[in-house]
Amino acid sequence: MSTIEATKPQKEVSPLLKLVLELGPLMVFFFANSRGEWLAGHFPTLSELGGPIFIATGLFMAATAIALVVSWMLTRTLPMMPLISGIVVLVFGALTLWLQNDTFIKMKPTIVNTLFGTILLGGLLFGKSLLGYVFHSAFKLDEDGWRKLTLRWGLFFLVLAVLNEVIWRSFSTDFWVAFKVWGTMPITILFTLAQMPLIMKHSLDQDSAK
């Protein structure tokens, strides 16, 4: 957690707007890949980027940057996870366009999820439940709760990394893009909902009410 986040109160953003900022770039990526030829026909400049996956990558980078800027303007903070993910998108997206090799953008989820998983599990080895620093404003859990939740999310991120590798290496680009939007997100939502019993069990608010 940064010093700015620790010392300045965060402005509240409506859940709907937050969802748009998080899912918007992914939807742009999916649409641009599926309608790449149409976009190139109507906006000739985009055709200079290459085929549909490269047009989608360029627009994905732009949408990600816009989402980060809007988030900063509204809250005056940039949460760690979206910031790291955004940086990787911009770096690997630039390599994809520069080298005309979509392997880089396909590896982006693997890199990000492996990084998050390694950080969370590595923190546990040093007795630090780092997930508490990310979700401290949303949940108030006891130490054991944060430790268990951090372990689960750390392992989940590694599973997502492996899953991404299997998908992009075994299936077509269109299938990978579709799975990235319509597969990964539902899996993540279901996993998050599955953690609610643990969160309720270790909630400090619940304990205080008792």
Side-chain angles (χ1 to χ4, degrees), residues 20-32:
V20 170
L21 292 175
E22 292 179 354
L23 297 185
L26 278 179
M27 298 305 297
V28 169
F29 187 56
F30 176 78
F31 173 80

Side-chain angles (χ1 to χ4, degrees), residues 63-77:
T64 298
I66 291 173
L68 288 174
V69 170
V70 171
S71 179
W72 167 259
M73 292 175 63
L74 293 175
T75 65
R76 292 303 174 183
T77 64

Side-chain angles (χ1 to χ4, degrees), residues 1-3 5 10 68 71 77-88 112 115-116 119-120 130-136:
M1 182 173 62
S2 66
T3 303
E5 291 178 323
Q10 296 185 9
L68 288 174
S71 179
T77 64
L78 285 177
M80 183 185 301
M81 295 174 70
L83 177 60
I84 293 175
S85 181
I87 292 173
V88 176
V112 171
L115 181 61
F116 288 158
I119 290 175
L120 292 179
L130 299 179
L131 203 65
Y133 292 91
V134 179
F135 294 119
H136 68 285

